[in-house]
Amino acid sequence: MTQAPPPTATGSRPAAAAATGDIAIKCMGLTKVFKDFWLRDKARAVDGIDLEVRRGEVFGLLGPNGSGKSTTIKLILGLLHPTAGRIAVFNKVPRDVATKKIIGYLPEETYLYKFLNPTETLEYYGKLFHLDRATRKKRIAMLLDMVGLDHAAHRPVGEFSKGMMRKVGLAQALINDPQLLILDEPTSGMDPIATNDVKKVITQLADRGKTVLLCSHLLADVQDVCDRVAMMYGGKVRRAGTMDTLLTDEHTTTITTPSLDSVSDERIVAALEALGVADVSIDHPRRTLEQIFLDMVTEAQQAGIQSAGARSGRDVAEFLREGAAEPRPEPATGDQVIESLVDTAPAKPAATPSQPKPAPPAAPAQAPAPAEDDLIAGLTGKPAEDAPATPAPAPQAPARNSAKPPKQPPTPKPEPPAEPKPDKKPADGDGSVIDDLLNG
Amino acid sequence: MLTRNWKTWLGVLLAIAFVGGGLYALLYFQGFATAANIVSILATVAGGAWTLRGLYVWREVPWVRRVNSFVILGFAFGLVYLVLRAVGASVLAGSTLYLFGTVAGFLLGVNLIRLLLAPGWPVFGVARAMVEEAIRSRIAIVLGLMLLLILVALPQNISSDDRLTYIVQRFLTWSLMAVSFLLSITTIVLCAYTTSYDLKSKQVYMTLTKPLGRGQYLLGKWLGVVLLNGVLLAVTGVAIAGFTRALSQGQAMNAEDREQVQREILTARISNIPTPQDVTTDEMMLNMLAEKQRIDPEEYGEPGSPASSLPEHVRQAVYTEALTQWFTVNPDESESFLFTGLGSARANAAETAERAVERLIGHGMTETQAREFVQWQNYNRRTPPDDVDIPSLMTEEEFIDIVALINREKVQLVISPYCRPEPDDGMVEFWITVNGLGWPIGSDGRPRPTKVAVDTPQELSLPAWLINEDGELLVTIEVPPVRLVAGQPVAQQAIQFNRKDQVPEVFYRVGTFEGNLVKSMAVLWVRLAFLAMLGLALGALFTFPVASLIGLMVYAVAAFSGYLSEAVSDYASVGGADTTWGVITAAFGRFFAALGEGQVFEAFKLLIRLIAQTALLIVPSFGEFNPGPNLSEGKAVPSGMLYGAVLRVGLLWTGVVGLIGLILFHRRELAKVTA
């Protein structure tokens, strides 16, 4: 089982945050109690939470309806006054007007003036950010193109579907190229393609070192893009930590290979059982509906089929891509996965690089590993040439944690091994399992 | 792509214009007139077709869309105008043109505002959105249409059987009242709606999480409404001026009626009230008090005791009696009234007389004839000098125009003679001397007595050159002991000239009707600015129904404060308190006294008085800043009214309401419980 995280969300941080060391949002003992007309307590929406969002990270705030996520965000934005506790946004009070210049916010529903069209709407918000005419014009065109509403730029927003309004909402949140983007249920009402686009934007912004606070109960979305999350329930933070810390099931090991025939399956099961590993099962991973859906749309778009609604799948606006930080590592290929399996032992899903960990134990990992072909041959009993040269690449999901397909167990990254957890007791350690497999 | 193409279209259009124009000029000046005309026709057709094509193809481009709306509007109104002209409804057709002008003016004004608010400042952004909201909301559209319809329908529905003076006066009164009322209501409702709806529908979540203070938010909304009201007032002002001028050209009872419209309505006059010649009014009052103290020391105090020791109402009664004595002229006696500060009237008249002389000379008169003509007009003679043949020199319209020019500079002495018992024929007779010259002068060149009906204000035109170089006009009224009625002498009674506070007044022109209208609109604008801030502040604190209700109540109290004060005073009297605060204190004391005595109904009445009086204390009175009566009576809207409105209503009251609203809004949580 995964270790229980601390009850606050001020734990370890990812690489980007480590680089800057700055804190974008800090909440200490934050409490919000709503009162009725007679000043009696009506609801304790937020109950003494401590929260820390560092610059450059994508932070997810999760929880079921009524758990206090939106209230927390409204407190951070100064729309509500805290009953107790303190909030600092870039070291300023939430209602500091100057700080708001670098914040972009998309509320849980898109509250737009229905009498304005998308261009006028973005003009309006652009002016609120003191943007000059030329910048406004340029960014509005880019954003409308990005969210696929350039063809509806002069239609009143009141005529739009919820998803289209959401896109205008997203565009207004980005018009100032914010340092901190606060998104409350950003993909609500959006189709999977648009959802994918939103995730792409988040990833892009994060790559540029922007901070994103994402509030959602669509866990898959959060899982795909967040570095760190805090889970709220009843106004309190119940779980918090990095995605890998929270998601890694340390009691299960997954070995990913190209598709194997049934004989090979049986051989592997037999080999593992011979090693004393119980409850071995071999299965073909399932693709997600989202992935199939996205593939379908991509194919249709490539075939030139038109749709009346908002267009999707556009590139992120240029001004949001300018000056991007070092690109994140490409999703690992099958070769790399195998290399990591072979070269680094114990083969355990890696933690995020930012997690400070003691040096790994040396001996098993330093042992010379057999070549990849030998591995395949050992497993299948066939010459290496019969097997595919490289495993199929991971699906091109836009997720930041995209070394694995969406909604699949995390795929280990080619990163330094983590220290084995003291409470985990595998048969002979991960490295010995591989050795046994290789030896037949 | 779109931008590049409409620019190409515009470029081609300009090329057609330049090439066509150039070719036309070249051919025309080379003497090929026919070829030039053909080129001109071809270029016009090509340019027109290209223009129409572009307007259609690029109709989605914002500025082209605006041009299109103008073009379509122009075509629609033109069509209606032609149809109405064809069926003989020329007045309606004229109204259609004014209507088009009004709508086009409004659209131009709105675009001007958009241009003004283009810079990327947050306050401007909010103001611009406010303007868009206002012009696209149904309530504003309905009220705007009502305003237009009233302006168009009013001239059609004012009785044409009456004197032209009254028709024009009525139109001005009603149109200004309608504009003021409708815009006030619209402003309150719209402002209360916009902020309360922004809060209710959570649009503030998106707006106030941007680098925009709450004060800037309110200021932006206010600026948008104020600018829009400015455009609306400008447009309706132009429409009112146009309709008024059109009405003044309508059917008049007679020449005097038409001239009266120019002289007394389509002008901006100020009035002057007289001062006693050798003694001040305070001295008159003290003399009267001394006399009364000698007769009744119990009521008025011992002789020599100061007036300040008397109660206010006794002092006021003595003052009124002293004035009445001054304004009362007994038979075979005379009384003088000195009007001062009329230097500008004299100067204006001299300047206008010179202009009239120049125009007459321009029409072929000699200078002597021209000056004689002007002088005759000043003596109220309708006919020109004998040796001048007017019809051969100018048209009748030109003649009337010059006469109106001369007469508009005359000063008007307005008096309301009153006497009891009323004479059998209801008339009185007296002689008037102005700066030693008997007036009016009859056709024989000699002064004649003034015979007028009692209780009816009489207006006598005096040439401004009667005013002396010190700007003074000394009017002496002498009542003869007898007058002739049907050849028989009838004894006259004392005549009083201050009935219902209508003391003799002298009116003289200080400006134009248009200038007066501009000032009137400016005063209304300031009032609307206050109402806008009131509506916004209320909307930021309450829900729409509550905010609009309070706003409308405040407007009612402000607009009808005079009537309300009188009404509650009659409803529940609290004695002779002088100030509003004094009345409130007295009402408060009497309320508890009535409760103590078990007079519940009396206590209830006092409570109503207390509430109404408190409202009157808190709410600014619009009665002091109501330019309507001045405008319709041709009286200049005093600059003091405008400055007072700006300072007290525009700055002080708007500022106070805005500040209170902002403080409360600042403390308000914008989000509500969702957990």
Side-chain angles (χ1 to χ4, degrees), chain B residues 249-560:
Chain B
Q249 303 299 319
Q251 188 69 41
M253 286 289 193
N254 48 42
E256 169 60 21
D257 185 20
R258 186 181 300 284
E259 209 179 289
Q260 197 177 355
V261 171
Q262 300 295 327
R263 195 177 61 230
E264 296 176 18
I265 299 176
L266 300 185
T267 182
R269 304 175 300 164
I270 58 170
S271 71
N272 222 328
I273 58 169
T275 52
Q277 195 179 4
D278 302 317
V279 66
T280 66
T281 49
D282 285 344
E283 286 167 346
M284 285 168 57
M285 185 260 185
L286 290 174
N287 292 341
M288 173 67 71
L289 181 62
E291 179 67 17
K292 287 193 170 294
Q293 284 174 336
R294 193 177 59 76
I295 297 166
D296 189 357
E298 201 171 305
E299 173 73 16
Y300 296 100
E302 289 300 318
S305 59
S308 56
S309 63
L310 295 173
E312 173 64 24
H313 68 279
V314 176
R315 279 205 309 272
Q316 192 60 44
V318 174
Y319 187 76
T320 306
E321 196 176 335
L323 285 180
T324 303
Q325 191 182 55
W326 174 41
F327 285 117
T328 303
V329 187
N330 292 314
D332 208 15
E333 286 183 7
S334 66
E335 189 64 71
S336 293
F337 306 104
L338 181 64
F339 296 90
T340 57
L342 302 175
S344 62
R346 181 187 156 97
N348 282 347
E351 193 185 313
T352 306
E354 283 307 311
R355 276 169 52 204
V357 166
E358 279 173 25
R359 284 179 64 177
L360 288 167
I361 292 170
H363 281 295
M365 281 191 194
T366 63
E367 185 174 347
T368 312
Q369 285 173 331
R371 294 202 179 278
E372 193 180 353
F373 181 87
V374 172
Q375 193 73 337
W376 279 46
Q377 285 300 320
N378 277 328
Y379 277 92
N380 292 335
R381 291 192 181 178
R382 295 279 154 207
T383 51
D386 295 336
D387 61 336
V388 177
D389 181 22
I390 291 293
S392 68
L393 296 176
M394 62 189 90
T395 64
E396 193 179 347
E397 285 75 25
E398 288 168 341
F399 175 73
I400 290 172
D401 197 34
I402 291 178
V403 169
L405 178 69
I406 297 165
N407 285 335
R408 77 173 194 180
E409 298 300 352
K410 284 181 178 173
V411 296
Q412 279 82 43
L413 173 66
V414 180
I415 49 177
S416 297
Y418 167 80
C419 63
R420 287 292 180 275
E422 193 174 311
D424 292 340
D425 59 352
M427 302 292 285
V428 289
E429 185 180 302
F430 47 87
W431 291 84
I432 296 176
T433 309
V434 183
N435 280 355
L437 187 68
W439 198 266
I441 294 174
S443 54
D444 56 355
R446 300 175 61 180
R448 55 183 172 81
T450 300
K451 288 181 185 175
V452 294
V454 294
D455 274 0
T456 309
Q458 302 295 323
E459 192 163 311
L460 306 171
S461 286
L462 308 173
W465 53 261
L466 284 174
I467 300 167
N468 67 22
E469 287 181 354
D470 296 331
E472 293 174 344
L473 203 63
L474 183 65
V475 176
T476 304
I477 295 178
E478 183 187 347
V479 177
V482 291
R483 63 188 171 94
L484 293 176
V485 178
Q488 297 298 316
V490 173
Q492 292 226 100
Q493 307 161 48
I495 305 173
Q496 193 182 319
F497 290 98
N498 67 331
R499 172 73 175 158
K500 292 183 181 172
D501 294 332
Q502 284 187 341
V503 300
E505 281 180 283
V506 161
F507 287 91
Y508 60 99
R509 194 184 75 84
V510 289
T512 60
F513 165 72
E514 281 75 14
N516 222 20
L517 186 61
V518 168
K519 270 189 187 172
S520 302
M521 289 300 178
V523 172
L524 288 185
W525 195 23
V526 175
R527 284 170 41 165
L528 291 173
F530 164 73
L531 293 176
M533 185 54 86
L534 178 74
L536 290 169
L538 289 169
L541 305 174
F542 303 105
T543 57
F544 172 63
V546 177
S548 50
L549 192 66
I550 296 174
L552 292 174
M553 279 173 64
V554 170
Y555 169 64
V557 172
F560 306 110

Side-chain angles (χ1 to χ4, degrees), chain A residues 291-310:
Chain A
Q291 194 55 49
I292 295 167
F293 184 90
L294 290 174
D295 289 347
M296 179 276 292
V297 173
T298 307
E299 283 167 17
Q301 284 176 342
Q302 283 169 351
I305 299 168
Q306 297 297 315
S307 169

Side-chain angles (χ1 to χ4, degrees), chain B residues 71-358:
Chain B
V71 171
I72 291 167
L73 205 66
F75 273 122
F77 274 98
L79 198 65
V80 173
Y81 173 77
L82 290 175
V83 170
L84 288 172
R85 282 294 296 268
V87 297
S90 56
V91 179
L92 262 181
S95 299
T96 309
L97 281 188
Y98 276 118
L99 195 62
F100 171 67
T102 309
V103 174
F106 174 72
L107 292 175
L108 277 173
V110 167
N111 282 308
L112 202 65
I113 293 179
R114 285 178 175 143
L115 204 64
L116 195 72
L117 298 176
W121 299 332
V123 172
F124 281 16
V126 178
R128 168 78 189 268
M130 181 69 237
V131 171
E132 300 299 338
E133 180 179 4
I135 60 176
R136 295 175 198 189
S137 68
R138 284 182 197 147
I139 181 170
I141 291 170
V142 168
L143 286 166
L145 284 175
M146 277 173 67
L147 199 63
L148 281 177
L149 283 175
I150 286 172
L151 282 180
V152 174
L154 260 181
Q156 323 294 328
N157 289 290
I158 293 176
S159 165
S160 57
D161 301 334
D162 230 329
R163 285 176 66 83
L164 188 60
T165 316
Y166 299 152
I167 292 172
V168 176
Q169 224 163 16
R170 241 175 287 159
F171 171 73
L172 278 172
T173 305
W174 290 351
S175 59
L176 209 65
M177 204 184 286
V179 168
S180 169
F181 179 74
L182 281 176
L183 283 184
S184 298
I185 300 289
T186 314
T187 300
I188 292 169
V189 171
L190 183 71
C191 290
Y193 173 81
T194 186
T195 37
S196 59
Y197 186 76
D198 271 13
L199 283 160
K200 187 183 171 191
S201 61
K202 301 175 183 173
Q203 264 130 9
V204 284
Y205 285 16
M206 309 265 281
T207 300
L208 290 178
T209 49
K210 305 289 185 283
L212 176 82
R214 295 188 188 189
Q216 287 177 303
Y217 169 76
L218 284 182
L219 187 66
K221 293 259 179 196
W222 181 79
L223 181 66
V225 176
V226 166
L227 286 175
L228 194 62
N229 275 336
V231 167
L232 281 168
L233 283 174
V235 168
T236 48
V238 170
I240 288 173
F243 279 123
T244 307
R245 288 285 174 194
L247 272 178
S248 70
Q249 303 299 319
Q251 188 69 41
M253 286 289 193
N254 48 42
E256 169 60 21
D257 185 20
R258 186 181 300 284
E259 209 179 289
Q260 197 177 355
V261 171
Q262 300 295 327
R263 195 177 61 230
E264 296 176 18
I265 299 176
L266 300 185
T267 182
R269 304 175 300 164
I270 58 170
S271 71
N272 222 328
I273 58 169
T275 52
Q277 195 179 4
D278 302 317
V279 66
T280 66
T281 49
D282 285 344
E283 286 167 346
M284 285 168 57
M285 185 260 185
L286 290 174
N287 292 341
M288 173 67 71
L289 181 62
E291 179 67 17
K292 287 193 170 294
Q293 284 174 336
R294 193 177 59 76
I295 297 166
D296 189 357
E298 201 171 305
E299 173 73 16
Y300 296 100
E302 289 300 318
S305 59
S308 56
S309 63
L310 295 173
E312 173 64 24
H313 68 279
V314 176
R315 279 205 309 272
Q316 192 60 44
V318 174
Y319 187 76
T320 306
E321 196 176 335
L323 285 180
T324 303
Q325 191 182 55
W326 174 41
F327 285 117
T328 303
V329 187
N330 292 314
D332 208 15
E333 286 183 7
S334 66
E335 189 64 71
S336 293
F337 306 104
L338 181 64
F339 296 90
T340 57
L342 302 175
S344 62
R346 181 187 156 97
N348 282 347
E351 193 185 313
T352 306
E354 283 307 311
R355 276 169 52 204
V357 166
E358 279 173 25

Side-chain angles (χ1 to χ4, degrees), chain A residues 32 34 45 79-81 95 97 100-101 105 107 111-113 115 120 124-125 127-130 136 172, chain B residues 117-118 120 122 125 133 136 198 201-203 206-211 214 666-667 669-671 673 675:
Chain A
K32 180 64 191 176
F34 288 104
L79 293 171
L80 289 171
H81 311 319
R95 283 174 66 174
V97 171
K100 289 178 180 174
K101 277 186 184 174
Y105 170 53
Y111 310 114
L112 298 171
Y113 288 118
F115 50 85
E120 290 168 333
Y124 170 62
Y125 290 110
K127 280 183 186 174
L128 297 189
F129 281 112
H130 298 78
R136 285 201 310 268
Q172 66 79 32
Chain B
L117 298 176
E133 180 179 4
R136 295 175 198 189
D198 271 13
S201 61
K202 301 175 183 173
Q203 264 130 9
M206 309 265 281
T207 300
L208 290 178
T209 49
K210 305 289 185 283
R214 295 188 188 189
H666 217 266
R667 295 174 63 86
E669 288 194 320
L670 301 180
V673 58

